[in-house]
Amino acid sequence: MDKFQIREVIARRVAKEFKDGDLVNLGIGLPTEVANYVDPNIDVIFQSENGFIGMGPAPVKGQEIRNLVNAGSQPVTILPGGMYFDSAMSFAIIRGGHLDCTVLGALQVDEKGNLANWMIPGKKVPGMGGAMDLVTGAKKVIVAMEHTAKGNIKIFKECTLPLTAAGAVDMIVTEMGVLEVTEAGLLLKEINPEFTVEEVQSATGCTILVADTLINMC
């Protein structure tokens, strides 16, 4: 798969996690693409921590509105009924436990559900943003990322980079499969049929458990 196909597989699968009526925050980068694959028959409301709810799909090229952007400064659309508010209200929604789900990328994630996505010591990176609030405030935390970075492992037995949050991740979705964080470790519940279990294990830095009910990733 090329990079475009990988991102589409991940975003399309994450979108299937949402239920009718969910309030969801999408992190910058790949997670924002999830909005493009939500089942049109369900009503999901997207929140952006820079101050609005009712975010719609990415705008058609050439029809972007300069001041309508998400927290990553990417052009977005807003659906009828959407609402703008200040940062205080936005973070009150997040910290108050009103988000059903948040989807974020990660530099590293480990078998205990620890997440590192804001800092590489000695390197200049954008910073944490609202991630610390999102992963502790949302009812469900999904990491959406490529399984490896240029061949380097991103899923570990224990993160080595500074943590954004400890034990906060519920699910990891990559182009290779869907892994659930359990007390016993990472459980492979779905696998992309283009890969084998052995290939998933080889690309993962901790021992993975394989569900008896393992199915193909859809």
Side-chain angles (χ1 to χ4, degrees):
M1 290 187 289
D2 61 27
K3 196 171 187 66
F4 175 81
Q5 292 171 317
I6 288 172
R7 294 171 71 92
E8 180 178 346
V9 165
I10 298 169
R12 191 180 294 279
R13 175 59 189 84
V14 171
K16 294 183 182 298
E17 287 298 306
F18 304 149
K19 302 186 295 294
D20 197 32
D22 276 353
L23 178 61
V24 176
N25 180 288
L26 301 176
I28 63 175
L30 191 158
T32 62
E33 299 178 22
V34 174
N36 298 326
Y37 299 103
V38 175
D39 186 338
N41 296 313
I42 66 171
D43 185 16
V44 176
I45 303 171
F46 289 106
Q47 185 253 7
S48 185
E49 68 258 36
N50 57 324
F52 66 98
I53 60 174
M55 185 173 68
V60 175
K61 192 173 179 59
Q63 296 184 13
E64 301 91 344
I65 300 174
R66 187 179 63 178
N67 293 325
L68 182 54
V69 297
N70 62 19
S73 299
Q74 298 168 314
V76 294
T77 58
I78 189 165
L79 301 174
M83 179 184 297
Y84 299 98
F85 36 74
D86 61 18
S87 293
M89 174 61 77
S90 184
F91 278 84
I93 291 171
I94 296 169
R95 295 172 182 171
H98 302 291
L99 284 177
D100 294 293
C101 181
T102 187
V103 184
L104 304 98
L107 296 170
Q108 294 180 348
V109 63
D110 69 28
E111 66 178 5
K112 297 180 180 64
N114 297 324
L115 171 68
N117 76 341
W118 73 285
M119 179 184 184
I120 300 176
K123 291 190 176 182
K124 191 174 182 179
V125 293
M128 186 179 291
M132 186 169 57
D133 297 280
L134 287 164
V135 297
T136 55
K139 297 169 186 169
K140 184 173 185 176
V141 176
I142 300 174
V143 166
M145 66 176 192
E146 294 184 37
H147 205 98
T148 59
K150 299 179 180 177
N152 296 316
I153 286 172
K154 297 180 69 178
I155 303 174
F156 292 86
K157 184 173 183 61
E158 186 171 351
C159 291
T160 58
L161 295 176
L163 295 184
T164 307
V169 176
D170 298 296
M171 176 180 286
I172 305 166
V173 179
T174 77
E175 76 278 16
M176 300 186 90
V178 178
L179 297 124
E180 181 181 323
V181 179
T182 74
E183 290 187 359
L186 296 182
L187 179 65
L188 182 67
K189 298 183 70 174
E190 297 179 28
I191 187 169
N192 185 328
E194 294 196 21
F195 301 95
T196 65
V197 172
E198 289 74 22
E199 288 173 325
V200 178
Q201 178 61 80
S202 178
T204 307
C206 60
T207 301
I208 59 171
L209 309 171
V210 181
D212 294 335
T213 55
L214 182 68
I215 59 174
N216 284 338
M217 188 177 179
C218 54

